[in-house]
Amino acid sequence: MKFTLKDYQEDAVSEVLERLRRARRRWREDNEVQAFSLTAPTGAGKTIMAAAVFEALFHGDDTFEFDADPGAVVIWFSDDPSLNEQTRFRLGEASDRLNWTDLHVVENSFNREKLAPGKVYFLNTHKLSRNSLLVRGHEPEDEAEPSLPYMRPDARSYTIWDTIRNTIEDPALTLYLVLDEAHRGMGEGRTLQDRSTIVRRLINGAGSMPPMPIVWGISATVERFNVAMREARGRSILPGVAVDPAKVQESGLLKDTIVLDIPDEAGHFETVLVRRATDKIVESSQAWADYAAQQPSTPIVQPLLVLQVRNTPDPDEIGRALDMIYERWPALSQDAIAHVFGEHVTQTFGRHVVPYISPERVQESAWVRVLIAKDAISTGWDCPRAEVMVSFRAAQDPTHITQLLGRMVRTPLARRIPGNDKLNSVDCLLPFFDRAAVKAVANALMAGGGDGEQPLSGRRVLINPAEMMPNPSVAADAWARFLSLPSQSLPHRAPRPVKRLTALAHELATDGILADAGKKAHREMHAALDAARVRYASQLEAARQSVLTVEGVALTADLGERVTRFNAFVETADMTVIDDAYRRAARVFSPDLARTYAEHVARNMPGSDPEEALIAAHVEIAALALVEGVREYLEVEAERLTRRWLDHYRVAIKSLGDERQEEYRQIRAMSAEPEAHDLGHPRKWLVASMAREQNGEEISLPRYRGHLMCDAEGLFPVELNGWEQAVLDRESARVGFEAWYRNPARATPEALGIAYESSGGYKILRPDFLFLSRLADGTVVADLVDPHGIQLSDALPKIRGLAQYAETHAGAFRRIETVAKIDDELKVLDLTDSIVRNAIATAESAAELYQSTLARAY
C-alpha cells in the first residue's frame, strides 16, 4: 500500500479478509454461497480499505497472515459508471501492488470466455441492461422477464452473462462480487424474490445463471442490503464488518466542525450571505496559502465555493450571485466557475457562460473555484477542498442540503490541521432558513451527514459561532508551560513491536534525524536474536530437529486377519518443507527482519558454501520461531528500542512540520499502552456564542476573561454548570492566577487527554480545566482540576485513570485534583498524594472515596 492504514481501517481489512477466507472455504468445500457487509461512514476511506483487501487477496499479506487466492477474480459493481471510474482511479492511486491493467473497466467491446484471475472488473447497471451490447443474444430464462428475440452481435462469442457463468463454474477460479453503495438497487421494502432487477439476477442467479459465490456489500447504510441477503435463496450470511464512526472522526479524515450561518432576522438575505460566503472563501484561500508557507512539504489547498440552487433554478438569480462573487473576489479568474447539472451542457447565468464538469473531476480540477450544483451531485462523490457552501434551497429542503454537505466533510490533506478550527471546518450559509428550521439540518449533520449514518461523536455543528484567537495578554512562558503538558492518546490496535520499530526507523531516516535507522534497528534485533539462540540453546536444538524431519504414521490393513496397524515413520525434510517452515517463521518475526537475519547468520558461517549457509540460516530462523519465549523476548527488545528512540529524538521530531509530526504521533499510538505527547498549540477556534433555553429562547453565553483563547475583547464565551462555575471562580481568585483553559471535549491535538481502562479497553477522559499560576519567584506552574460526577458507572475508572496519570506525570503539575459534590458541598481528592492514589486503587466506588477522610472541602 502507498498509504498507511488508520487503525480502524486495519481492523476492518483484517475482519473483511477473515470473512473472505471463510466464505472461500465454504464455497470450495460445500458449494455454499455467502454474503457479508462492510458498513463505513462517509469519509472512512472504503476504497483504501478495498485496495488493501485486493492486494492481500491477489498477492497475500504477511501482516494480516493471509494467503493469496491464486484463482481470485473480483467484479466491482455499482449503478454509476463515473463512480466506477473514480473508484478505479483511487484503487490504483492507493495500491503499489495492483497494476492499472489489473483494474479493468468492462466496455461494450468486452468479449472473453472467462474473467482472468488477479483482476478487478468494473461493471455498472447499464452494462447489464437489456439494450447493452454486452448481453445481446443472452436468453434470460426467467419468467419475470420475458425473453426477447435478440441476435448476438457479429464477432461476439460470449455475452457478459456467459462470461460470468463460465467464471463461476471454473473450479480453478473464485468469483467475488463487491457491491459499491450496496443499499442501492435493493428496492425499498422489497426482497430479491419479488423484484426482477439486474442486481437480483447478478447475486441470486436466474435460469442457467448460477448464484454469485461470494458477495461483499459496502455502504454507509447497508441494512437494506443485509435484509435482501437474508431473504435470498440458499445464501448464508456472515457477520457484518462495521467501522466505528467515532474512530473515523477521531482519525482526522473528517472535518471536525460544520458552521451554519443564518440571518439573525427575517427577510431575504441571499445577497448578503453570498457576499459573506465569498469573504469566507477568500479568507480560507489565504489561510491555506499561509499554512503551506509555514509547512514547506504541504501542498497549497485551493478551497472551493459551492452554490447550491433549486432543481429549477432562476438563471438570473444565479447570475446575480456570480456578479457578487466577482465583486468581492476580483482576483477570481473568469474561467474558474463550473456546474454539475444533470443536463451536462454549458449554461448561461446572467452574463456568465459556465461549462459543465463531471463530479468526479472536481476535486482534481484546481482551476474550479466556484461550483454550481443542485442536489447531492451524485452518490459517492466527494470533494475535500469544498469548504464553503451557499444554499438557495428553501427551508423545506433540509435533506438536499445535508446530503450535499455530507459529501464535503473530508479533510483536504487527510489529516487534522493542529490548532486551527477554520481549516478543520466547512461553512454552510442558509439565506432562507431561520433558527428553528436550521435545527433540522444541524441534527441531520450530527447523525453523520444526512445519509442515515450512525452519530459521529466529536463532530460539532455550530450556528453563527464566534472566532477565538490566542490571548495576547498571556505571557510567553505561560504558553510554554501549557504546551509542555503531557497528553495521552488512545492506544491503537497494537501491531507487533518489530513492525512499530521498523515504521519508526523509516520515518527517522526519511527526516534525516537518524541516518541508516533501518539498518541500525535490524542490527539491534539481530543482536537480540543472537542472544536468544544462546539463552534458549537446548530448546533450539530440539526445534532444529523438528524442522529438519517430517514425522508421520502409515496405515497398514491386513485383509486376511482383518486388522489395521499404524506404523510411525520419520523422513528427512526437503527444501519445500524447510521453505514453508521459514515462511511461517518470517510471519512471526516480520519478513524483512527474517531476511536480514538470515543474511547475518549465513555471513557468520565461515567456510560454508553461500547457498548451503543460507539454507542453514533458514533452518535456524524456522527453529527459533518454534521455541516458546523467543518471540516475546524479541518484542520486548524491539519495544525498548522504540521507546528509547522516541524519547531521545523527541525535540528533533517536535521541530518537524505538522504532516511529519502526525506520522510520529501515529507511531506513538501503535502501542498496547497509552503513550504521552506534548499538547498542540491552539491558533484559531470557532466556539458557540449562544445557548438555547428550555423555552426555546436563545441567549448569549457568558464571557470570561483570562482564557488562553479569546475574542477581540479578550473574552471567552462558555456555558458552565454550577460546579464548573464554582471551580472557575475559586481558581481564578487564587494568588498568582495567570490564565485558565477550558479543555476541549473532542479529539484535537490541543485537547489534553488521559487514558483510563473501562470494560476491558481504554477510553479517553478530557478533564475540564487547566489553570496556570505564577509563583513568587516568577515560575509558572500548571494545575489540573476536574469537576467529576460520581453518579455514572465509569466514575471510578476515570478517577483511577487520573490517579495513574498523576503518578506518572506529577512533575508536570503543581496540583492534580478531582472535585465532586457531596451533600451540597464540593469535595476534592488530591491525586498527587500517594496515600490517596493507593486508596483509589482498592476502592469499590467513587462515592466511597469522596465520603472518606481522604477528601477535603474544596
Side-chain angles (χ1 to χ4, degrees):
M1 290 291 293
K2 296 176 185 175
F3 304 132
T4 300
L5 296 178
K6 303 289 187 183
D7 62 318
Y8 72 82
Q9 292 174 333
E10 195 167 334
D11 287 342
V13 169
S14 179
E15 291 188 53
V16 168
L17 289 173
E18 187 275 330
R19 305 297 191 277
L20 293 178
R21 182 192 288 117
R22 198 189 314 178
R24 178 178 65 193
R25 185 178 67 250
R26 291 183 179 179
W27 165 247
R28 285 289 162 219
E29 295 177 359
D30 303 319
N31 207 35
E32 186 178 336
V33 293
Q34 307 283 311
F36 72 95
S37 62
L38 169 65
T39 309
T42 300
K46 64 172 184 175
T47 312
I48 301 293
M49 291 184 271
V53 168
F54 296 153
E55 282 190 352
L57 193 61
F58 296 153
H59 304 288
D61 193 289
D62 290 315
T63 298
F64 298 107
E65 297 186 359
F66 187 88
D67 294 322
D69 179 357
V73 184
V74 174
I75 292 177
W76 185 284
F77 188 86
S78 80
D79 62 355
D80 187 343
S82 63
L83 180 57
N84 270 353
E85 188 58 45
Q86 178 176 280
T87 302
R88 177 178 178 269
F89 175 78
R90 286 181 176 169
L91 287 174
E93 192 179 37
S95 172
D96 53 7
R97 303 176 75 187
L98 300 176
N99 298 320
W100 287 106
T101 54
D102 297 332
L103 307 172
H104 190 88
V105 177
V106 177
E107 303 292 359
N108 287 328
S109 59
F110 186 83
N111 183 23
R112 290 185 59 123
E113 179 185 5
K114 301 172 188 174
L115 301 176
K119 294 187 182 296
V120 181
Y121 292 90
F122 293 89
L123 266 176
N124 62 76
T125 310
H126 176 71
K127 293 291 174 58
L128 297 183
S129 64
R130 294 189 187 188
N131 296 324
S132 169
L133 291 175
L134 287 172
V135 305
R136 291 288 178 87
H138 174 74
E139 172 57 60
E141 303 180 53
D142 188 341
E143 294 180 2
E145 182 180 336
S147 58
L148 299 176
Y150 287 143
M151 297 298 291
R152 194 183 297 263
D154 293 341
R156 183 177 295 282
S157 303
Y158 307 96
T159 69
I160 189 62
W161 292 112
D162 294 333
T163 302
I164 293 173
R165 182 182 66 246
N166 294 338
T167 303
I168 294 174
E169 293 176 347
D170 188 332
L173 300 175
T174 309
L175 185 55
Y176 302 83
L177 174 67
V178 180
L179 286 180
D180 190 14
E181 301 294 341
H183 59 288
R184 299 172 65 86
M186 292 300 167
E188 191 97 29
R190 301 179 179 181
T191 66
L192 290 178
Q193 286 88 341
D194 62 12
R195 184 180 184 190
S196 178
T197 64
I198 290 172
V199 177
R200 171 191 181 276
R201 183 182 303 280
L202 187 63
I203 294 173
N204 214 29
S208 62
M209 263 297 299
M212 192 64 59
I214 300 167
V215 180
W216 170 20
I218 305 177
S219 178
T221 52
V222 294
E223 183 54 35
R224 201 184 304 165
F225 165 81
N226 289 336
V227 170
M229 292 299 101
R230 285 194 292 269
E231 297 177 353
R233 296 193 301 267
R235 186 170 294 276
S236 298
I237 309 301
L238 297 173
V241 178
V243 173
D244 184 352
K247 291 185 178 180
V248 181
Q249 189 70 49
E250 185 182 348
S251 73
L253 290 179
L254 302 183
K255 292 167 183 170
D256 291 322
T257 305
I258 299 175
V259 177
L260 302 179
D261 275 18
I262 58 173
D264 282 328
E265 52 190 280
H268 290 277
F269 296 96
E270 58 268 38
T271 303
V272 174
L273 290 192
V274 167
R275 183 174 68 223
R276 180 171 169 80
T278 308
D279 292 343
K280 282 176 176 282
I281 202 69
V282 171
E283 179 187 359
S284 179
S285 299
Q286 186 59 53
W288 278 115
D290 293 343
Y291 183 73
Q294 298 163 7
Q295 310 284 330
S297 63
T298 300
I300 298 179
V301 174
Q302 301 289 356
L304 179 75
L305 170 63
V306 178
L307 294 182
Q308 185 186 37
V309 300
R310 302 175 183 86
N311 287 345
T312 54
D314 179 351
D316 292 333
E317 180 184 52
I318 299 175
R320 288 192 295 272
L322 295 178
D323 289 340
M324 175 58 68
I325 290 171
Y326 277 109
E327 178 184 327
R328 301 294 294 186
W329 195 1
L332 183 67
S333 170
Q334 289 297 317
D335 58 357
I337 302 175
H339 75 84
V340 286
F341 289 2
E343 292 80 0
H344 292 201
V345 296
T346 298
Q347 301 279 339
T348 300
F349 304 117
R351 62 185 180 86
H352 304 278
V353 178
V354 178
Y356 168 80
I357 186 171
S358 181
E360 68 273 8
R361 290 183 49 230
V362 174
Q363 172 63 20
E364 65 192 57
S365 302
W367 59 270
V368 179
R369 303 302 305 279
V370 179
L371 184 70
I372 306 171
K374 292 181 180 178
D375 297 337
I377 302 184
S378 70
T379 300
W381 174 85
D382 66 318
C383 188
R385 66 186 186 91
E387 294 198 348
V388 181
M389 182 176 89
V390 180
S391 179
F392 293 144
R393 309 292 300 211
Q396 292 76 29
D397 287 342
T399 300
H400 295 300
I401 294 167
T402 54
Q403 284 178 344
L404 182 51
L405 275 173
R407 312 244 67 94
M408 297 168 58
V409 294
R410 289 182 189 255
T411 48
L413 299 178
R415 61 179 172 86
R416 185 176 284 109
I417 306 303
N420 195 326
D421 283 351
K422 287 292 289 183
L423 298 185
N424 295 320
S425 66
V426 57
D427 284 87
C428 179
L429 296 94
L430 302 169
F432 303 117
F433 275 63
D434 56 23
R435 287 187 176 271
V438 82
K439 284 294 180 182
V441 176
N443 291 337
L445 291 169
M446 286 301 295
D451 292 337
E453 302 164 3
Q454 303 175 52
L456 291 174
S457 61
R459 172 178 289 181
R460 300 182 302 163
V461 179
L462 302 178
I463 301 172
N464 296 349
E467 188 173 292
M468 303 288 119
M469 302 293 285
N471 193 332
S473 65
V474 175
D477 58 347
W479 273 108
R481 169 58 64 188
F482 168 79
L483 295 174
S484 70
L485 298 178
S487 178
Q488 294 176 331
S489 56
L490 279 177
H492 295 178
R493 187 174 73 92
R496 291 175 180 168
V498 173
K499 180 181 177 183
R500 185 184 185 213
L501 173 61
T502 302
L504 174 60
H506 173 76
E507 303 303 340
L508 290 172
T510 297
D511 293 318
I513 294 174
L514 179 61
D516 294 327
K519 293 180 179 178
K520 291 175 181 175
H522 276 215
R523 279 200 297 269
E524 295 271 3
M525 295 302 97
H526 295 169
L529 288 171
D530 286 343
R533 289 164 65 190
V534 175
R535 181 176 181 178
Y536 298 98
S538 58
Q539 299 98 311
L540 184 60
E541 180 55 36
R544 206 179 283 119
Q545 292 305 312
S546 176
V547 172
L548 291 172
T549 57
V550 177
E551 299 181 1
V553 293
L555 172 65
T556 302
D558 190 321
L559 298 181
E561 297 181 11
R562 298 194 176 192
V563 296
T564 58
R565 299 182 180 87
F566 291 92
N567 300 309
F569 68 84
V570 177
E571 294 286 345
T572 302
D574 58 17
M575 281 305 303
T576 301
V577 173
I578 292 173
D579 286 344
D580 184 61
Y582 170 74
R583 280 195 297 271
R584 289 197 300 271
R587 285 182 172 176
V588 171
F589 299 131
S590 95
D592 198 35
L593 177 59
R595 176 185 58 79
T596 61
Y597 188 60
E599 295 169 355
H600 165 76
V601 172
R603 279 196 305 270
N604 287 280
M605 291 184 179
S608 301
D609 176 78
E611 186 173 343
E612 292 179 357
L614 190 59
I615 293 171
H618 284 186
V619 171
E620 193 75 3
I621 292 169
L624 277 168
L626 296 177
V627 175
E628 185 177 354
V630 170
R631 173 176 172 175
E632 291 75 11
Y633 177 78
L634 178 69
E635 291 181 345
V636 167
E637 294 302 312
E639 190 66 18
R640 183 180 290 123
L641 180 58
T642 299
R643 289 177 181 273
R644 189 166 77 237
W645 280 359
L646 283 171
D647 291 342
H648 184 74
Y649 297 109
R650 183 180 64 84
V651 175
I653 292 170
K654 192 73 175 175
S655 302
L656 299 172
D658 291 344
E659 183 177 12
R660 299 302 305 149
Q661 287 193 53
E662 175 64 16
E663 295 295 332
Y664 292 96
R665 189 195 66 77
Q666 292 188 24
I667 290 172
R668 284 187 181 276
M670 292 179 183
S671 173
E673 301 292 331
E675 295 273 356
H677 57 85
D678 293 342
L679 278 175
H681 198 313
R683 301 191 183 280
K684 183 177 289 188
W685 277 9
L686 299 175
V687 300
S689 59
M690 305 289 289
R692 181 181 290 265
E693 298 282 83
Q694 290 185 346
N695 61 7
E697 180 184 355
E698 293 208 340
I699 60 171
S700 296
L701 290 175
R703 298 191 297 165
Y704 300 86
R705 292 198 177 276
H707 193 274
L708 287 176
M709 302 294 289
C710 67
D711 59 18
E713 300 175 60
L715 301 173
F716 182 79
V718 65
E719 186 173 16
L720 301 175
N721 62 31
W723 297 13
E724 294 166 341
Q725 185 69 62
V727 168
L728 178 58
D729 291 344
R730 206 158 298 182
E731 295 296 331
S732 59
R734 294 187 188 277
V735 175
F737 169 78
E738 187 90 359
W740 68 286
Y741 186 72
R742 177 57 182 251
N743 195 39
R746 52 203 171 87
T748 65
E750 63 269 25
L752 189 142
I754 295 174
Y756 68 96
E757 290 188 83
S758 178
S759 303
Y762 279 102
K763 297 181 180 179
I764 284 289
L765 161 69
R766 303 197 186 278
D768 284 338
F769 293 114
L770 295 171
F771 297 96
L772 299 173
S773 299
R774 192 174 297 276
L775 302 180
D777 63 1
T779 304
V780 177
V781 293
D783 297 324
L784 186 159
V785 183
D786 186 34
H788 189 94
I790 61 173
Q791 71 278 11
L792 300 178
S793 60
D794 63 352
L796 184 58
K798 285 181 177 178
I799 294 175
R800 284 181 175 153
L802 277 166
Q804 291 168 359
Y805 176 84
E807 183 171 4
T808 305
H809 301 292
F813 295 88
R814 178 178 62 174
R815 295 157 48 222
I816 299 179
E817 297 178 343
T818 177
V819 178
K821 197 169 190 177
I822 305 296
D823 297 330
D824 294 327
E825 182 182 8
L826 290 181
K827 293 281 196 174
V828 62
L829 291 171
D830 178 5
L831 303 183
T832 62
D833 187 334
S834 60
I835 297 175
V836 173
R837 292 199 301 269
N838 291 337
I840 290 172
T842 58
E844 295 185 0
S845 71
E848 165 193 329
L849 291 165
Y850 286 105
Q851 291 166 354
S852 72
T853 58
L854 295 171
R856 55 180 174 77
Y858 177 66

